[in-house]
PDB file of all heavy atoms in Angstrom:
ATOM      1  N   PRO A  37       3.979  14.738  14.683  1.00 97.00           N
ATOM      2  CA  PRO A  37       3.533  13.332  14.658  1.00 97.00           C
ATOM      3  C   PRO A  37       3.080  12.858  16.028  1.00 97.00           C
ATOM      4  O   PRO A  37       2.059  12.197  16.170  1.00 97.00           O
ATOM      5  CB  PRO A  37       4.776  12.585  14.180  1.00 97.00           C
ATOM      6  CG  PRO A  37       5.555  13.611  13.398  1.00 97.00           C
ATOM      7  CD  PRO A  37       5.336  14.904  14.131  1.00 97.00           C
ATOM      8  N   GLN A 119      15.424  26.583  11.202  1.00 97.00           N
ATOM      9  CA  GLN A 119      16.366  25.468  11.216  1.00 97.00           C
ATOM     10  C   GLN A 119      15.672  24.203  10.713  1.00 97.00           C
ATOM     11  O   GLN A 119      14.540  23.897  11.103  1.00 97.00           O
ATOM     12  CB  GLN A 119      16.902  25.243  12.637  1.00 97.00           C
ATOM     13  CG  GLN A 119      17.766  26.378  13.156  1.00 97.00           C
ATOM     14  CD  GLN A 119      19.039  26.546  12.340  1.00 97.00           C
ATOM     15  OE1 GLN A 119      19.760  25.576  12.086  1.00 97.00           O
ATOM     16  NE2 GLN A 119      19.303  27.771  11.913  1.00 97.00           N
ATOM     17  N   GLN A 125      12.336  13.525   2.467  1.00 98.00           N
ATOM     18  CA  GLN A 125      11.455  12.371   2.647  1.00 98.00           C
ATOM     19  C   GLN A 125      10.606  12.190   1.390  1.00 98.00           C
ATOM     20  O   GLN A 125      10.625  13.033   0.487  1.00 98.00           O
ATOM     21  CB  GLN A 125      10.579  12.553   3.894  1.00 98.00           C
ATOM     22  CG  GLN A 125      11.281  12.138   5.177  1.00 98.00           C
ATOM     23  CD  GLN A 125      10.343  12.063   6.368  1.00 98.00           C
ATOM     24  OE1 GLN A 125       9.430  12.869   6.514  1.00 98.00           O
ATOM     25  NE2 GLN A 125      10.574  11.105   7.241  1.00 98.00           N
ATOM     26  N   PHE A 149      -4.066  29.353  -3.252  1.00 98.00           N
ATOM     27  CA  PHE A 149      -3.293  28.268  -2.648  1.00 98.00           C
ATOM     28  C   PHE A 149      -2.448  27.536  -3.682  1.00 98.00           C
ATOM     29  O   PHE A 149      -1.228  27.402  -3.531  1.00 98.00           O
ATOM     30  CB  PHE A 149      -4.243  27.301  -1.935  1.00 98.00           C
ATOM     31  CG  PHE A 149      -3.594  26.043  -1.429  1.00 98.00           C
ATOM     32  CD1 PHE A 149      -2.643  26.090  -0.418  1.00 98.00           C
ATOM     33  CD2 PHE A 149      -3.944  24.798  -1.963  1.00 98.00           C
ATOM     34  CE1 PHE A 149      -2.042  24.921   0.055  1.00 98.00           C
ATOM     35  CE2 PHE A 149      -3.359  23.639  -1.497  1.00 98.00           C
ATOM     36  CZ  PHE A 149      -2.409  23.694  -0.496  1.00 98.00           C
ATOM     37  N   LEU A 157       6.426  23.262  -5.565  1.00 98.00           N
ATOM     38  CA  LEU A 157       6.322  21.821  -5.838  1.00 98.00           C
ATOM     39  C   LEU A 157       7.080  21.458  -7.117  1.00 98.00           C
ATOM     40  O   LEU A 157       7.727  20.405  -7.184  1.00 98.00           O
ATOM     41  CB  LEU A 157       4.852  21.424  -5.949  1.00 98.00           C
ATOM     42  CG  LEU A 157       4.049  21.535  -4.645  1.00 98.00           C
ATOM     43  CD1 LEU A 157       2.557  21.400  -4.930  1.00 98.00           C
ATOM     44  CD2 LEU A 157       4.507  20.497  -3.625  1.00 98.00           C
ATOM     45  N   ARG A 167      18.990  16.382  -9.550  1.00 97.00           N
ATOM     46  CA  ARG A 167      20.086  16.224  -8.595  1.00 97.00           C
ATOM     47  C   ARG A 167      20.181  14.804  -8.059  1.00 97.00           C
ATOM     48  O   ARG A 167      21.250  14.372  -7.645  1.00 97.00           O
ATOM     49  CB  ARG A 167      19.893  17.195  -7.412  1.00 97.00           C
ATOM     50  CG  ARG A 167      19.949  18.674  -7.778  1.00 97.00           C
ATOM     51  CD  ARG A 167      21.370  19.099  -8.121  1.00 97.00           C
ATOM     52  NE  ARG A 167      21.429  20.543  -8.385  1.00 97.00           N
ATOM     53  CZ  ARG A 167      21.738  21.458  -7.463  1.00 97.00           C
ATOM     54  NH1 ARG A 167      21.998  21.082  -6.220  1.00 97.00           N
ATOM     55  NH2 ARG A 167      21.766  22.735  -7.779  1.00 97.00           N
ATOM     56  N   VAL A 178      17.629   7.827  -2.983  1.00 98.00           N
ATOM     57  CA  VAL A 178      17.744   8.340  -1.620  1.00 98.00           C
ATOM     58  C   VAL A 178      19.191   8.168  -1.190  1.00 98.00           C
ATOM     59  O   VAL A 178      19.856   7.197  -1.570  1.00 98.00           O
ATOM     60  CB  VAL A 178      16.793   7.621  -0.644  1.00 98.00           C
ATOM     61  CG1 VAL A 178      15.352   7.887  -1.024  1.00 98.00           C
ATOM     62  CG2 VAL A 178      17.054   6.113  -0.591  1.00 98.00           C
ATOM     63  N   GLY A 185      11.942   6.896   4.491  1.00 90.00           N
ATOM     64  CA  GLY A 185      10.897   6.834   5.497  1.00 90.00           C
ATOM     65  C   GLY A 185      10.844   5.521   6.242  1.00 90.00           C
ATOM     66  O   GLY A 185      10.417   5.472   7.391  1.00 90.00           O
ATOM     67  N   MET A 186      11.267   4.428   5.592  1.00 92.00           N
ATOM     68  CA  MET A 186      11.256   3.109   6.231  1.00 92.00           C
ATOM     69  C   MET A 186      12.665   2.838   6.773  1.00 92.00           C
ATOM     70  O   MET A 186      13.417   2.032   6.236  1.00 92.00           O
ATOM     71  CB  MET A 186      10.813   2.050   5.229  1.00 92.00           C
ATOM     72  CG  MET A 186       9.461   2.358   4.606  1.00 92.00           C
ATOM     73  SD  MET A 186       8.945   1.115   3.384  1.00 92.00           S
ATOM     74  CE  MET A 186       7.549   1.969   2.630  1.00 92.00           C
ATOM     75  N   LEU A 266       0.602  17.053 -10.012  1.00 98.00           N
ATOM     76  CA  LEU A 266       1.120  18.350 -10.436  1.00 98.00           C
ATOM     77  C   LEU A 266       0.566  18.719 -11.817  1.00 98.00           C
ATOM     78  O   LEU A 266       0.335  19.897 -12.110  1.00 98.00           O
ATOM     79  CB  LEU A 266       2.648  18.305 -10.453  1.00 98.00           C
ATOM     80  CG  LEU A 266       3.401  19.615 -10.183  1.00 98.00           C
ATOM     81  CD1 LEU A 266       2.921  20.278  -8.904  1.00 98.00           C
ATOM     82  CD2 LEU A 266       4.896  19.342 -10.100  1.00 98.00           C
ATOM     83  N   HIS A 357      13.810  28.118 -15.092  1.00 37.00           N
ATOM     84  CA  HIS A 357      14.497  27.299 -16.084  1.00 37.00           C
ATOM     85  C   HIS A 357      16.011  27.384 -15.976  1.00 37.00           C
ATOM     86  O   HIS A 357      16.713  26.383 -16.121  1.00 37.00           O
ATOM     87  CB  HIS A 357      14.051  27.707 -17.489  1.00 37.00           C
ATOM     88  CG  HIS A 357      12.674  27.230 -17.818  1.00 37.00           C
ATOM     89  ND1 HIS A 357      12.018  27.584 -18.974  1.00 37.00           N
ATOM     90  CD2 HIS A 357      11.825  26.421 -17.140  1.00 37.00           C
ATOM     91  CE1 HIS A 357      10.815  27.015 -18.992  1.00 37.00           C
ATOM     92  NE2 HIS A 357      10.684  26.317 -17.888  1.00 37.00           N
ATOM     93  N   PRO A 412       2.238 -15.637   0.577  1.00 98.00           N
ATOM     94  CA  PRO A 412       2.863 -15.953   1.873  1.00 98.00           C
ATOM     95  C   PRO A 412       3.805 -14.878   2.394  1.00 98.00           C
ATOM     96  O   PRO A 412       4.040 -14.806   3.602  1.00 98.00           O
ATOM     97  CB  PRO A 412       3.622 -17.255   1.584  1.00 98.00           C
ATOM     98  CG  PRO A 412       3.842 -17.263   0.095  1.00 98.00           C
ATOM     99  CD  PRO A 412       2.640 -16.593  -0.473  1.00 98.00           C
ATOM    100  N   PHE A 414       3.409 -11.541   2.370  1.00 98.00           N
ATOM    101  CA  PHE A 414       2.745 -10.401   2.999  1.00 98.00           C
ATOM    102  C   PHE A 414       1.404 -10.767   3.636  1.00 98.00           C
ATOM    103  O   PHE A 414       0.936 -10.051   4.524  1.00 98.00           O
ATOM    104  CB  PHE A 414       2.577  -9.256   1.995  1.00 98.00           C
ATOM    105  CG  PHE A 414       3.891  -8.688   1.539  1.00 98.00           C
ATOM    106  CD1 PHE A 414       4.497  -9.144   0.373  1.00 98.00           C
ATOM    107  CD2 PHE A 414       4.556  -7.744   2.299  1.00 98.00           C
ATOM    108  CE1 PHE A 414       5.728  -8.645  -0.041  1.00 98.00           C
ATOM    109  CE2 PHE A 414       5.790  -7.243   1.906  1.00 98.00           C
ATOM    110  CZ  PHE A 414       6.382  -7.699   0.735  1.00 98.00           C
ATOM    111  N   LEU A 428       7.011 -11.581   5.678  1.00 98.00           N
ATOM    112  CA  LEU A 428       6.689 -12.433   6.824  1.00 98.00           C
ATOM    113  C   LEU A 428       7.599 -13.646   6.924  1.00 98.00           C
ATOM    114  O   LEU A 428       7.821 -14.176   8.026  1.00 98.00           O
ATOM    115  CB  LEU A 428       5.235 -12.907   6.722  1.00 98.00           C
ATOM    116  CG  LEU A 428       4.135 -11.851   6.830  1.00 98.00           C
ATOM    117  CD1 LEU A 428       2.788 -12.469   6.473  1.00 98.00           C
ATOM    118  CD2 LEU A 428       4.092 -11.247   8.227  1.00 98.00           C
ATOM    119  N   PHE A 445       0.253   2.397   9.023  1.00 98.00           N
ATOM    120  CA  PHE A 445      -1.020   2.848   8.460  1.00 98.00           C
ATOM    121  C   PHE A 445      -0.844   3.555   7.132  1.00 98.00           C
ATOM    122  O   PHE A 445      -1.689   3.414   6.242  1.00 98.00           O
ATOM    123  CB  PHE A 445      -1.733   3.751   9.472  1.00 98.00           C
ATOM    124  CG  PHE A 445      -2.332   2.979  10.611  1.00 98.00           C
ATOM    125  CD1 PHE A 445      -1.555   2.622  11.701  1.00 98.00           C
ATOM    126  CD2 PHE A 445      -3.645   2.557  10.584  1.00 98.00           C
ATOM    127  CE1 PHE A 445      -2.081   1.886  12.747  1.00 98.00           C
ATOM    128  CE2 PHE A 445      -4.188   1.813  11.619  1.00 98.00           C
ATOM    129  CZ  PHE A 445      -3.400   1.474  12.710  1.00 98.00           C
TER     130      PHE A 445
END
Side-chain angles (χ1 to χ4, degrees):
Q119 293 296 311
Q125 276 191 323
F149 172 66
L157 293 168
R167 296 288 184 94
V178 296
M186 304 179 192
L266 209 52
H357 286 174
F414 295 94
L428 294 171
F445 285 84

